[in-house]
Amino acid sequence: MTRDTRRRMVAGAARMIGTGGIEAMSLRDLAEQEGVPLGSTYHHFPGGKAELVDEAVRYVGSYVTRIVEQATETGPRGVLQVFADTWRTTLEQSGYRSGCAVLAAATSTDPRHHEVAREVFEVWQRVLAGSLADAGVEPARAPRLARTVVAAVEGAIGLSRAAGTADPLDEVIEELAELLESATPTAG
């Protein structure tokens, strides 16, 4: 039960951060939303809100990383599609009110969270770059393309939230797919 409470709090914090940002997340609101006593927050996260935020951002990072790593054998386009589908689901399930908690941490007023966001983005870029390199993209270009994918998808998430539709995300993914295909040598 204790582990489940902690996990629910981390997942709930990730959703709240992705929706309203770090500054808007309150421990009291989180406890109420997740149906746990407020004291549980301090029991599970003695470092308070900052510790919970960092764990929630890492949770999102690990979740997305696992999904992308599982798709690496599908090639760059498959990895890109899985990355996009993950965010499309988040957008649609939240009625376009929620985005990426990692980006929220990167834009937080507390610089402590910038480091955690940087770490997560670097892992995503490393996994994507590995998939690109495995597909034959030049080793010097693969990390740049991976960074471009992460940056473009994060921007597309914001555009989709503003528009209330996944159209911006879909359009960016289509353009990125063409870019990745042009960078990948053809088999044959």
Side-chain angles (χ1 to χ4, degrees):
M1 182 68 161
T2 298
R3 189 93 177 123
D4 182 54
T5 299
R6 188 175 203 290
R7 197 178 359 228
R8 281 189 5 241
M9 292 171 72
V10 170
R15 283 189 302 276
M16 288 179 85
I17 293 164
T19 301
I22 290 171
E23 287 73 20
M25 189 195 88
S26 108
L27 296 180
R28 184 173 306 284
D29 290 345
L30 175 64
E32 185 177 308
Q33 173 185 297
E34 296 304 319
V36 300
L38 183 58
S40 292
T41 304
Y42 299 103
H43 169 74
H44 291 292
F45 304 97
K49 179 178 175 177
E51 180 183 351
L52 175 57
V53 165
D54 289 347
E55 187 150 339
V57 171
R58 286 186 179 104
Y59 165 82
V60 170
S62 295
Y63 174 76
V64 172
T65 299
R66 276 192 312 275
I67 289 170
V68 170
E69 285 175 337
Q70 291 169 358
T72 55
E73 60 246 10
T74 65
R77 189 174 187 116
V79 170
L80 179 63
Q81 196 58 56
V82 166
F83 197 53
D85 290 347
T86 300
W87 292 117
R88 182 180 297 99
T89 299
T90 297
L91 289 163
E92 289 172 351
Q93 288 180 348
S94 71
Y96 297 91
R97 291 184 308 277
S98 192
C100 180
V102 182
L103 183 59
T107 59
S108 168
T109 58
D110 184 344
R112 165 190 173 146
H113 304 303
H114 299 174
E115 179 63 22
V116 175
R118 183 190 61 74
E119 291 168 8
V120 170
F121 285 143
E122 284 179 358
V123 169
W124 290 351
Q125 291 167 35
R126 191 169 43 251
V127 170
L128 290 168
S131 175
L132 292 167
D134 289 348
V137 173
E138 296 173 23
R141 187 174 185 201
R144 293 192 315 265
L145 280 175
R147 184 182 306 260
T148 299
V149 167
V150 172
V153 170
E154 289 293 331
I157 292 167
L159 292 172
S160 290
R161 285 181 73 184
T165 175
D167 291 348
L169 178 62
D170 293 337
E171 291 168 2
V172 166
I173 292 303
E174 189 56 38
E175 289 299 320
L176 288 172
E178 290 180 25
L179 175 64
L180 296 182
E181 282 180 24
S182 73
T184 308
T186 56

